[in-house]
């Protein structure tokens, strides 16, 4: 393993770190529980940014999802990891970061059999610079009003990532958006 290889933090069922694993090979048909985060970006008009996953993504290619997600590295705090992924994935910077769902956890299986198995706190933030999405990550972006997202999720849930569907329901139920 090289020193610049990105690692994810593996967790026990209580959320305690138990080791690390290379990000490049952690997502399989038997993905271990690991630490992640999800970030939703909101604008001054109350709209939410959706991104469409690039077709080259291994799991859930081409589906719409929240602004971006990622994995904090060993010893990396969430604000630093989130700022890093905003830059890497969307070519932007964010402001007003706040934790909305600190205990969110999910497990989902892609049509290809790839499993997501994450303790994934959910954050909200705003953009502080223009978007320059990385094509290998994001093929399309769209700002959408929350009520329109509710309607889209109700009529075409298959077009959206499972974590977006679950996180959005929890954010709406808790009055965050």
């Amino acid at each position: 393993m090289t020193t610049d290889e990105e690692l994810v933090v593996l967790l026990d069922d209580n959320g305690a770190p138990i080791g690390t694993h290379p990000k490049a090979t952690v997502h399989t048909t038997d993905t271990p529980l690991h630490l992640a985060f999800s970030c939703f970006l909101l604008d001054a008009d109350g709209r939410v940014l959706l991104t469409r996953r690039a077709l080259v993504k291994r799991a859930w290619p081409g589906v719409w999802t929240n602004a971006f997600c990622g994995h904090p590295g060993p010893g990396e705090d969430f604000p630093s990891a989130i700022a890093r992924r905003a830059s890497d994935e969307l070519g932007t910077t964010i402001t007003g970061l706040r934790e909305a769902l600190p205990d969110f956890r999910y497990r989902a299986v892609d049509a290809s059999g790839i499993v997501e198995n994450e303790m994934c706190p959910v954050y909200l933030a705003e953009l502080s610079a223009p978007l320059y999405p990385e094509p290998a990550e994001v093929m399309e972006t769209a700002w959408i009003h929350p009520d329109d997202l509710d309607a889209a999720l109700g009529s075409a849930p298959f077009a959206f990532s499972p974590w977006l569907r679950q996180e959005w329901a929890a954010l709406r139920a808790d009055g965050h958006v």
Side-chain angles (χ1 to χ4, degrees), residues 126-155:
E126 295 83 35
L127 284 177
S128 57
L131 291 171
Y132 297 100
E134 168 56 46
E137 297 284 344
V138 176
M139 64 185 290
E140 195 173 352
T141 64
W143 288 99
I144 187 169
H145 188 275
D147 292 339
D148 294 333
L149 180 53
D150 292 338
L153 288 166
S155 63

Side-chain angles (χ1 to χ4, degrees), residues 93-167:
T93 56
I94 59 171
T95 189
L97 183 66
R98 57 205 178 278
E99 189 177 57
L101 302 172
D103 300 317
F104 185 77
R105 178 179 176 173
Y106 78 101
R107 184 179 186 282
V109 182
D110 179 73
S112 71
I114 299 296
V115 174
E116 284 284 5
N117 186 16
E118 299 178 337
M119 285 196 171
C120 185
V122 178
Y123 289 81
L124 304 174
E126 295 83 35
L127 284 177
S128 57
L131 291 171
Y132 297 100
E134 168 56 46
E137 297 284 344
V138 176
M139 64 185 290
E140 195 173 352
T141 64
W143 288 99
I144 187 169
H145 188 275
D147 292 339
D148 294 333
L149 180 53
D150 292 338
L153 288 166
S155 63
F158 53 83
F160 300 91
S161 70
W163 58 91
L164 167 80
R165 295 191 311 260
Q166 293 174 41
E167 291 167 354

Side-chain angles (χ1 to χ4, degrees), residues 59-81:
W60 288 278
V63 302
W64 287 94
T65 195
N66 56 294
F68 62 95
C69 297
H71 304 87
E76 184 179 29
D77 63 27
F78 281 107
S80 298

